[in-house]
Amino acid sequence: KNEVEQSPQNLTAQEGEFITINCSYSVGISALHWLQQHPGGGIVSLFMLSSGKKKHGRLIATINIQEKHSSLHITASHPRDSAVYICAVRRPNDMRFGAGTRLTVKP
Amino acid sequence: DTEVTQTPKHLVMGMTNKKSLKCEQHMGHRAMYWYKQKAKKPPELMFVYSYEKLSINESVPSRFSPECPNSSLLNLHLHALQPEDSALYLCASSQGGAYGYTFGSGTRLTVV
């Protein structure tokens, strides 16, 4: 079993829909990251969370430390949100990544 | 400067070639990382440098040789690679502890 599990693996939505991506982890962490990767591109850090909830524009990330679970929400989705979203957990010496969720938002 | 800069962006090399990937950051981050990412897979850790010293080597073959000449620069020297080494190579840096990572845009390597 992977240390970081994401669901769903693939997600197709219509423009304007509310989107949720989930992440569960099984190890102790110092922080959890939500990352965005566009095709052929580098990785952009969206959020770093150690507790509670963060909001940036149309993106909201939450984490429940007791349940070892985090969610990334996108409100009013747009085709430019199409990308791979990766959950990653921060450990003392490195970061462990989930397999990613490939999101496609259709106009 | 809040970026990690990787060069080159694309590299095609033969199996007998020697080449190097370069990564640079000027944020004063003390930890720097090399990751390898195959298509549709998450990044896999290769090496970690902490305070310019190699602290983690994830059993990477010796045809990959990392080097950290100073606190801002991280190189990955490549020699006698195989076609299966073709991948996106990502560099990242961090202040350490619970601080976040800053990723470079990667070098897309093709071994022919």
Side-chain angles (χ1 to χ4, degrees), chain A residues 58-71:
Chain A
R58 296 180 293 106
L59 301 178
I60 303 166
T62 63
I63 188 169
N64 184 319
I65 297 293
Q66 287 73 32
E67 294 186 4
K68 295 188 174 178
H69 181 269
S70 176
S71 294

Side-chain angles (χ1 to χ4, degrees), chain A residues 19-31:
Chain A
I19 287 162
T20 296
I21 300 170
N22 294 301
C23 174
S24 296
Y25 56 93
S26 56
V27 293
I29 67 170
S30 55

Side-chain angles (χ1 to χ4, degrees), chain B residues 7-18:
Chain B
T7 55
K9 292 198 183 307
H10 299 273
L11 178 63
V12 179
M13 62 184 290
M15 289 189 281
T16 58
N17 291 159
K18 284 185 181 181

Side-chain angles (χ1 to χ4, degrees), chain A residues 36-45, chain B residues 1-11 21-25 27 32-37 43 87-93 101-109:
Chain A
Q36 182 192 55
Q37 187 172 34
H38 284 279
I43 292 174
V44 174
S45 179
Chain B
D1 188 351
T2 58
E3 289 186 349
V4 172
T5 303
Q6 285 189 247
T7 55
K9 292 198 183 307
H10 299 273
L11 178 63
L21 309 184
K22 180 179 170 182
C23 173
E24 200 163 1
Q25 59 89 11
M27 296 175 281
M32 296 184 76
Y33 310 80
W34 280 116
Y35 285 87
K36 174 183 177 180
Q37 187 179 26
L88 180 69
Y89 288 84
L90 290 161
C91 175
S93 70
Y101 279 27
T102 301
F103 286 89
S105 56
T107 294
R108 187 158 298 281
L109 174 68

Side-chain angles (χ1 to χ4, degrees), chain B residues 17-92:
Chain B
N17 291 159
K18 284 185 181 181
K19 297 285 184 183
S20 296
L21 309 184
K22 180 179 170 182
C23 173
E24 200 163 1
Q25 59 89 11
H26 297 285
M27 296 175 281
H29 286 176
R30 66 182 191 182
M32 296 184 76
Y33 310 80
W34 280 116
Y35 285 87
K36 174 183 177 180
Q37 187 179 26
K38 301 286 275 185
K40 299 188 179 182
K41 297 287 186 185
E44 296 176 358
L45 182 66
M46 300 175 73
F47 302 105
V48 180
Y49 272 83
S50 179
Y51 292 108
E52 302 169 47
K53 286 186 169 30
L54 183 65
S55 61
I56 295 179
N57 176 342
E58 290 284 344
S59 302
V60 178
S62 59
R63 58 186 184 268
F64 295 92
S65 174
E67 179 198 19
C68 190
N70 59 59
S71 60
S72 299
L73 188 56
L74 184 65
N75 296 320
L76 186 62
H77 302 298
L78 314 172
H79 173 54
L81 295 194
Q82 304 296 312
E84 59 263 30
D85 296 321
S86 299
L88 180 69
Y89 288 84
L90 290 161
C91 175

